[in-house]
Amino acid sequence: TAAATARAAAEERNPEQPAGYRNSCLVCHGNDVAMQQRLTRAQWDREINKMAGWGAKVKPEEREGILEYLAKYFAPRAR
């Protein structure tokens, strides 16, 4: 499907996924969710808090790495 192809392409472009991202985020959804949102660093920070509040297992020592990854690869696109 198109979604699976997009997910595979995103994961191929972003091979340096931190373990915290894989273990905290990708257990419930793929990169396609992050790609669709395209949030600022501050918005990703709030999103991580929201997901942790909903039960995502975000280890405190991995949180910053997750935030850095999301802010780097899934920021708003320049227009």
Side-chain angles (χ1 to χ4, degrees), residues 11-77:
E11 290 170 358
E12 185 175 78
R13 285 191 309 270
N14 304 312
E16 58 207 54
Q17 295 171 339
Y21 178 74
R22 289 191 307 272
N23 297 332
S24 300
C25 304
L26 296 182
V27 296
C28 293
H29 48 76
N31 274 343
D32 56 327
V33 174
M35 287 173 56
Q36 291 168 358
Q37 293 189 52
R38 296 288 179 178
L39 304 177
T40 65
R41 181 181 173 83
Q43 291 170 320
W44 280 123
D45 189 46
R46 289 191 298 271
E47 192 70 12
I48 292 169
N49 290 337
K50 180 179 82 175
M51 293 287 106
W54 287 355
K57 307 288 189 231
V58 179
K59 294 180 182 177
E61 65 271 17
E62 294 178 335
R63 190 183 189 290
E64 186 63 26
I66 295 168
L67 179 56
E68 288 294 324
Y69 177 77
L70 291 169
K72 180 178 180 180
Y73 289 108
F74 303 108
R77 289 191 173 117

